[in-house]
Amino acid sequence: DQQVKQNSPSLSVQEGRISILNCDYTNSMFDYFLWYKKYPAEGPTFLISISSIKDKNEDGRFTVFLNKSAKHLSLHIVPSQPGDSAVYFCAASGGTRWYGGSQGNLIFGKGTKLSVKP
Amino acid sequence: GAGVSQTPSNKVTEKGKYVELRCDPISGHTALYWYRQSLGQGPEFLIYFQGTGAADDSGLPNDRFFAVRPEGSVSTLKIQRTERGDSAVYLCASSSAVAPNTGELFFGEGSRLTVL
């Protein structure tokens, strides 16, 4: 049973518009959430994260929103650029509650392929 | 090197053969992880090392899979009696003990394993 779900396998947006990628989770013990970006033939690279004690984290064009009551988070990219075209993975971690000092494993969603058209 | 290095980048083998995949983490990173990514899926956790010891091997699918990190740096993932279902990209990642609990991992480019 998937604990982290990305229900949209793909998303296409026009350059300059907003991209919104969604993620739902089921385990209330998750206390840290991350977004990774992956280009073909490369490993995932960290993009942005958010602790469960916050509801928003912003880094340049990227903002992550967390709604704990709905167990939902989203990644907003604005303005979208063609170079943002990649697969985006949502991931969750149980942090110190799992390993008491050093995080263990991340649970990933299946990813959403974003295509930004010029 | 500056990043996580994995070798080989591609490995084609026959069903039943033994395979070793190597990971060289970022220098100084004490935590090392192995993930497996099958087609159309997200990375799936296999095993996590803190130093030389496996802190969590709960993701290893069965006893054909084994991983070592004898000196707390380079790690080898070993797969015995490979099966076609083992075909996937095997990703290695490392993280610094300076930033625990944040979940930020640095991934290598992966080793693509194809079992014929």
Side-chain angles (χ1 to χ4, degrees), chain A residues 2 31-34 36 38 41-46 49 89 93 95-96 99-111, chain B residues 31 33 35 37 40-45 48 50 55-56 58 91 95-97 99-110:
Chain A
Q2 276 193 286
D31 59 8
Y32 216 88
F33 303 90
L34 307 94
Y36 279 79
K38 186 181 185 303
E42 295 185 10
T45 55
F46 171 76
S49 62
F89 291 101
S93 168
T96 56
Y99 293 103
S102 196
Q103 50 70 231
N105 72 75
L106 299 181
I107 307 297
F108 284 85
K110 289 187 177 183
Chain B
Y33 311 79
Y35 283 78
Q37 186 176 12
Q41 304 294 316
E44 174 192 16
F45 171 77
Y48 153 59
Q50 187 62 252
D56 182 358
S58 63
L91 294 164
S95 67
S96 168
N101 312 319
T102 64
E104 179 180 349
L105 307 185
F106 296 84
F107 283 88
E109 294 185 349

Coordinates of all heavy atoms in Angstrom, one line a residue, chain A residues 2 31-34 36 38 41-46 49 89 93 95-96 99-111, chain B residues 31 33 35 37 40-45 48 50 55-56 58 91 95-97 99-110:
Chain A
Q2 N 0.6 2.1 -0.9 CA 1.5 3.3 -1.1 C 1.2 4.3 0.1 O 0.1 4.7 0.3 CB 1.2 4.0 -2.4 CG 1.9 3.4 -3.6 CD 1.8 4.3 -4.7 OE1 0.7 4.5 -5.4 NE2 2.9 5.1 -5.0
D31 N 7.3 13.4 9.4 CA 7.5 14.8 9.9 C 8.4 15.6 9.0 O 8.7 16.7 9.4 CB 7.9 14.8 11.3 CG 9.2 14.1 11.6 OD1 9.9 13.7 10.6 OD2 9.6 13.9 12.7
Y32 N 8.8 15.1 7.9 CA 9.6 15.9 7.0 C 9.3 15.4 5.6 O 9.2 14.3 5.3 CB 11.1 15.7 7.3 CG 11.9 16.9 7.1 CD1 12.1 17.8 8.1 CD2 12.5 17.1 5.9 CE1 12.9 18.9 8.0 CE2 13.3 18.3 5.7 CZ 13.4 19.2 6.7 OH 14.2 20.3 6.6
F33 N 9.1 16.4 4.7 CA 8.7 16.2 3.3 C 9.7 16.8 2.4 O 10.1 18.0 2.6 CB 7.3 16.6 3.1 CG 6.3 16.0 4.0 CD1 6.0 16.6 5.2 CD2 5.7 14.8 3.7 CE1 5.1 16.1 6.1 CE2 4.8 14.2 4.6 CZ 4.5 14.9 5.8
L34 N 10.0 16.2 1.3 CA 10.9 16.7 0.3 C 10.5 16.5 -1.1 O 9.7 15.6 -1.4 CB 12.3 15.9 0.5 CG 12.9 15.8 1.9 CD1 12.4 14.5 2.6 CD2 14.4 15.9 1.8
Y36 N 12.2 16.0 -4.9 CA 13.4 15.7 -5.7 C 13.0 15.9 -7.2 O 11.9 15.6 -7.6 CB 13.9 14.3 -5.4 CG 14.7 14.2 -4.2 CD1 14.1 14.1 -2.9 CD2 16.1 14.2 -4.2 CE1 14.9 14.0 -1.8 CE2 16.9 14.0 -3.1 CZ 16.2 14.0 -1.8 OH 17.0 13.8 -0.7
K38 N 14.3 14.9 -11.1 CA 15.1 13.9 -11.8 C 15.1 14.1 -13.3 O 14.0 14.1 -13.9 CB 14.7 12.5 -11.5 CG 15.6 11.4 -12.0 CD 15.2 10.0 -11.7 CE 16.2 9.0 -12.2 NZ 16.4 9.0 -13.6
A41 N 18.6 9.7 -17.1 CA 19.9 9.2 -17.0 C 20.7 9.9 -15.9 O 21.9 9.8 -15.8 CB 20.7 9.2 -18.3
E42 N 20.0 10.6 -15.0 CA 20.7 11.2 -13.8 C 20.0 10.7 -12.5 O 18.9 10.3 -12.6 CB 20.7 12.7 -13.9 CG 21.5 13.3 -15.1 CD 21.5 14.8 -15.0 OE1 21.1 15.4 -14.0 OE2 21.9 15.4 -16.0
G43 N 20.7 10.8 -11.4 CA 20.1 10.5 -10.2 C 19.2 11.7 -9.7 O 19.3 12.8 -10.2
P44 N 18.3 11.4 -8.8 CA 17.4 12.5 -8.3 C 18.3 13.6 -7.6 O 19.3 13.2 -6.9 CB 16.5 11.8 -7.3 CG 16.6 10.3 -7.7 CD 17.9 10.1 -8.2
T45 N 17.9 14.8 -7.7 CA 18.5 15.9 -7.0 C 17.5 16.6 -6.1 O 16.4 16.8 -6.5 CB 19.2 16.9 -7.9 OG1 18.2 17.4 -8.8 CG2 20.3 16.3 -8.7
F46 N 18.0 16.9 -4.9 CA 17.1 17.6 -3.9 C 16.7 19.0 -4.4 O 17.5 19.7 -4.9 CB 17.9 17.7 -2.6 CG 17.2 18.5 -1.6 CD1 16.1 18.0 -0.9 CD2 17.6 19.8 -1.3 CE1 15.5 18.8 0.1 CE2 17.0 20.6 -0.4 CZ 15.9 20.1 0.3
S49 N 12.5 21.3 0.7 CA 11.8 20.4 1.8 C 11.0 21.3 2.7 O 11.1 22.5 2.7 CB 12.9 19.7 2.6 OG 13.8 20.7 3.2
F89 N 9.7 14.0 -7.8 CA 9.3 13.0 -6.8 C 9.0 13.7 -5.5 O 9.8 14.5 -5.0 CB 10.4 12.0 -6.6 CG 10.6 11.0 -7.8 CD1 11.6 11.2 -8.7 CD2 9.7 10.0 -8.0 CE1 11.8 10.4 -9.8 CE2 9.9 9.1 -9.1 CZ 11.0 9.3 -9.9
S93 N 9.8 11.5 5.2 CA 10.7 10.9 6.2 C 10.1 11.0 7.6 O 9.4 11.9 7.9 CB 12.0 11.7 6.2 OG 12.8 11.3 7.2
G95 N 12.1 11.0 10.2 CA 13.1 11.7 10.9 C 13.5 11.1 12.3 O 13.7 9.9 12.4
T96 N 13.6 11.9 13.3 CA 14.1 11.4 14.6 C 13.2 10.4 15.2 O 13.7 9.6 16.0 CB 14.3 12.6 15.6 OG1 13.1 13.3 15.7 CG2 15.4 13.5 15.1
Y99 N 14.7 7.1 13.9 CA 16.1 6.7 14.2 C 16.8 7.5 15.2 O 18.0 7.3 15.5 CB 16.9 6.8 12.8 CG 16.4 5.7 11.9 CD1 15.6 6.1 10.8 CD2 16.7 4.4 12.1 CE1 15.1 5.1 9.9 CE2 16.2 3.4 11.2 CZ 15.4 3.8 10.2 OH 14.9 2.9 9.3
G100 N 16.1 8.4 15.9 CA 16.6 9.0 17.1 C 17.9 9.8 16.9 O 18.7 9.9 17.7
G101 N 18.1 10.4 15.7 CA 19.3 11.2 15.6 C 19.7 11.3 14.2 O 20.4 12.3 13.8
S102 N 19.4 10.4 13.4 CA 19.9 10.4 12.0 C 18.8 9.8 11.1 O 18.4 8.7 11.4 CB 21.2 9.7 11.8 OG 21.8 10.1 10.6
Q103 N 18.3 10.5 10.1 CA 17.2 10.0 9.4 C 17.5 8.7 8.7 O 18.6 8.5 8.3 CB 16.6 11.0 8.4 CG 17.5 11.7 7.5 CD 18.1 10.9 6.4 OE1 19.3 10.9 6.2 NE2 17.3 10.2 5.7
G104 N 16.6 7.9 8.5 CA 16.8 6.6 7.9 C 16.4 6.7 6.4 O 17.1 7.2 5.6
N105 N 15.3 6.0 6.1 CA 15.0 6.0 4.7 C 13.8 6.9 4.3 O 13.1 7.4 5.2 CB 14.6 4.6 4.3 CG 13.3 4.1 4.8 OD1 12.2 4.5 4.3 ND2 13.3 3.3 5.8
L106 N 13.8 7.3 3.1 CA 12.7 8.1 2.5 C 11.8 7.2 1.8 O 12.1 6.3 1.2 CB 13.3 9.1 1.5 CG 14.3 10.2 2.0 CD1 14.7 11.1 0.9 CD2 13.7 11.0 3.2
I107 N 10.5 7.6 1.9 CA 9.4 6.9 1.1 C 9.1 7.8 0.0 O 8.6 9.0 0.2 CB 8.2 6.7 2.0 CG1 8.6 5.9 3.3 CG2 7.2 5.9 1.2 CD1 9.2 4.6 3.1
F108 N 9.2 7.4 -1.2 CA 9.0 8.2 -2.4 C 7.7 7.8 -3.1 O 7.2 6.7 -3.0 CB 10.1 7.9 -3.5 CG 11.4 8.5 -3.2 CD1 12.3 7.9 -2.4 CD2 11.7 9.8 -3.8 CE1 13.6 8.5 -2.1 CE2 13.0 10.4 -3.5 CZ 13.9 9.7 -2.7
G109 N 7.1 8.9 -3.7 CA 6.0 8.6 -4.6 C 6.5 8.2 -6.0 O 7.7 8.0 -6.2
K110 N 5.5 7.9 -6.9 CA 5.9 7.4 -8.2 C 6.4 8.5 -9.2 O 6.9 8.2 -10.2 CB 4.7 6.7 -8.8 CG 4.3 5.4 -8.2 CD 3.2 4.7 -9.0 CE 2.9 3.3 -8.3 NZ 1.9 2.6 -9.1
G111 N 6.2 9.7 -8.8 CA 6.7 10.8 -9.6 C 5.7 11.4 -10.6 O 4.7 10.7 -10.9
Chain B
A31 N 26.5 8.6 6.3 CA 25.3 7.8 5.9 C 25.3 7.4 4.5 O 25.6 8.3 3.6 CB 24.1 8.5 6.3
Y33 N 23.0 5.1 1.5 CA 21.8 4.4 1.2 C 21.8 3.7 -0.2 O 22.4 4.2 -1.1 CB 20.6 5.4 1.2 CG 20.6 6.4 2.3 CD1 21.5 7.5 2.4 CD2 19.7 6.2 3.4 CE1 21.5 8.4 3.4 CE2 19.7 7.1 4.5 CZ 20.6 8.2 4.5 OH 20.6 9.0 5.5
Y35 N 18.9 2.5 -3.0 CA 17.5 2.4 -3.4 C 17.5 1.7 -4.7 O 18.5 1.6 -5.5 CB 17.0 3.9 -3.6 CG 16.7 4.6 -2.4 CD1 17.6 5.2 -1.6 CD2 15.3 4.7 -2.0 CE1 17.3 5.9 -0.4 CE2 15.0 5.4 -0.8 CZ 16.0 6.0 0.0 OH 15.6 6.6 1.1
Q37 N 15.1 1.6 -8.3 CA 14.0 2.2 -9.0 C 13.6 1.4 -10.3 O 14.4 1.3 -11.2 CB 14.3 3.7 -9.5 CG 13.2 4.4 -10.1 CD 13.5 5.8 -10.5 OE1 14.6 6.2 -10.5 NE2 12.5 6.6 -10.8
G40 N 8.7 3.3 -14.1 CA 7.4 3.8 -13.7 C 7.2 4.0 -12.2 O 6.1 4.3 -11.8
Q41 N 8.2 3.7 -11.4 CA 8.1 3.8 -10.0 C 9.0 4.8 -9.4 O 10.0 5.2 -10.1 CB 8.4 2.4 -9.4 CG 7.5 1.3 -9.9 CD 6.1 1.4 -9.5 OE1 5.7 1.8 -8.4 NE2 5.2 1.2 -10.5
G42 N 8.8 5.2 -8.2 CA 9.8 6.0 -7.5 C 10.8 5.1 -6.9 O 10.7 3.9 -6.8
P43 N 11.9 5.8 -6.4 CA 13.0 5.0 -5.7 C 12.4 4.3 -4.5 O 11.6 4.8 -3.8 CB 14.0 6.1 -5.3 CG 13.8 7.2 -6.3 CD 12.3 7.2 -6.6
E44 N 12.8 3.0 -4.3 CA 12.4 2.2 -3.2 C 13.6 1.9 -2.3 O 14.6 1.4 -2.8 CB 11.8 0.9 -3.8 CG 11.4 -0.2 -2.8 CD 11.1 -1.5 -3.5 OE1 11.5 -1.7 -4.7 OE2 10.5 -2.3 -2.9
F45 N 13.4 2.1 -1.1 CA 14.5 1.9 -0.1 C 14.9 0.5 0.0 O 14.1 -0.4 0.1 CB 14.1 2.5 1.3 CG 15.0 2.1 2.4 CD1 16.2 2.8 2.6 CD2 14.7 1.1 3.3 CE1 17.0 2.5 3.6 CE2 15.5 0.8 4.3 CZ 16.7 1.5 4.5
Y48 N 20.3 1.0 4.5 CA 20.9 2.3 5.0 C 22.1 1.9 5.9 O 21.9 1.1 6.9 CB 19.8 3.1 5.7 CG 20.3 4.1 6.7 CD1 21.2 5.1 6.5 CD2 19.7 4.0 8.0 CE1 21.5 6.0 7.4 CE2 20.0 4.9 9.0 CZ 20.9 5.9 8.7 OH 21.3 6.9 9.7
Q50 N 25.0 3.5 8.5 CA 25.6 4.6 9.3 C 27.0 4.2 9.7 O 27.1 3.3 10.5 CB 24.7 4.9 10.5 CG 25.2 6.2 11.3 CD 25.0 7.4 10.4 OE1 26.0 8.0 10.0 NE2 23.8 7.9 10.2
A55 N 22.3 0.2 9.5 CA 21.3 0.7 10.5 C 19.9 0.2 10.2 O 19.1 0.0 11.1 CB 21.4 2.2 10.6
D56 N 19.6 -0.1 8.9 CA 18.3 -0.5 8.6 C 18.4 -1.3 7.2 O 18.8 -0.7 6.2 CB 17.4 0.7 8.4 CG 15.9 0.3 8.1 OD1 15.7 -0.9 7.9 OD2 15.1 1.2 7.9
S58 N 15.8 -3.2 6.2 CA 14.4 -3.8 6.1 C 13.9 -3.7 4.7 O 12.9 -4.4 4.4 CB 13.5 -3.0 7.0 OG 13.4 -1.6 6.6
L91 N 20.1 2.9 -7.2 CA 20.6 4.2 -6.9 C 21.3 4.1 -5.5 O 20.8 3.5 -4.6 CB 19.5 5.2 -6.8 CG 18.7 5.5 -8.1 CD1 17.4 6.1 -7.8 CD2 19.6 6.4 -9.0
S95 N 24.6 11.0 2.7 CA 24.2 12.3 3.4 C 25.2 12.5 4.6 O 25.9 11.6 5.1 CB 22.8 12.2 3.9 OG 22.6 11.2 5.0
S96 N 25.2 13.8 5.0 CA 26.2 14.2 6.0 C 25.5 14.1 7.4 O 24.4 14.4 7.6 CB 26.6 15.7 5.7 OG 27.2 16.2 6.9
A97 N 26.3 13.7 8.3 CA 25.8 13.6 9.7 C 25.6 15.0 10.2 O 25.0 15.2 11.3 CB 26.8 12.9 10.6
A99 N 23.8 17.2 8.9 CA 22.4 17.6 8.7 C 21.5 16.4 8.8 O 20.9 16.0 7.8 CB 22.3 18.2 7.3
P100 N 21.4 15.9 10.0 CA 20.5 14.7 10.1 C 19.1 15.1 10.1 O 18.8 16.3 10.3 CB 20.9 14.2 11.5 CG 21.3 15.4 12.3 CD 22.0 16.3 11.3
N101 N 18.2 14.1 9.9 CA 16.8 14.3 10.0 C 16.2 15.2 8.9 O 14.9 15.3 8.9 CB 16.4 14.9 11.4 CG 17.1 14.2 12.5 OD1 17.2 13.0 12.5 ND2 17.6 14.9 13.5
T102 N 16.9 15.8 8.1 CA 16.3 16.6 7.0 C 15.9 15.8 5.8 O 15.1 16.2 5.0 CB 17.3 17.7 6.6 OG1 18.4 17.1 6.0 CG2 17.7 18.6 7.7
G103 N 16.5 14.6 5.7 CA 16.2 13.8 4.5 C 16.9 14.1 3.3 O 16.6 13.5 2.2
E104 N 17.7 15.2 3.2 CA 18.4 15.5 2.0 C 19.5 14.5 1.7 O 20.5 14.5 2.4 CB 18.9 16.9 2.1 CG 19.6 17.4 0.8 CD 20.2 18.8 0.8 OE1 19.9 19.5 1.8 OE2 20.9 19.1 -0.1
L105 N 19.2 13.8 0.6 CA 20.2 12.8 0.2 C 20.8 13.3 -1.1 O 20.2 13.9 -2.0 CB 19.5 11.5 -0.1 CG 18.7 10.9 1.1 CD1 18.2 9.5 0.8 CD2 19.5 10.9 2.4
F106 N 22.1 12.9 -1.3 CA 22.8 13.2 -2.6 C 22.9 11.9 -3.3 O 23.6 10.9 -2.9 CB 24.2 13.8 -2.3 CG 24.1 15.1 -1.6 CD1 23.9 15.2 -0.2 CD2 24.1 16.3 -2.3 CE1 23.8 16.4 0.4 CE2 24.0 17.5 -1.7 CZ 23.9 17.6 -0.3
F107 N 22.3 11.8 -4.5 CA 22.2 10.6 -5.3 C 23.3 10.5 -6.3 O 23.7 11.5 -6.9 CB 20.9 10.4 -5.9 CG 19.7 10.0 -5.0 CD1 19.0 10.9 -4.3 CD2 19.4 8.6 -4.9 CE1 18.0 10.5 -3.5 CE2 18.4 8.2 -4.0 CZ 17.7 9.2 -3.3
G108 N 23.7 9.3 -6.6 CA 24.5 9.0 -7.8 C 23.6 8.9 -9.0 O 22.4 8.9 -8.9
E109 N 24.3 8.6 -10.1 CA 23.5 8.5 -11.4 C 22.9 7.1 -11.5 O 22.0 6.9 -12.4 CB 24.4 8.8 -12.6 CG 24.9 10.2 -12.6 CD 25.7 10.6 -13.9 OE1 26.0 9.6 -14.6 OE2 25.9 11.8 -14.1
G110 N 23.3 6.2 -10.7 CA 22.6 4.9 -10.7 C 23.4 3.8 -11.6 O 24.2 4.2 -12.4

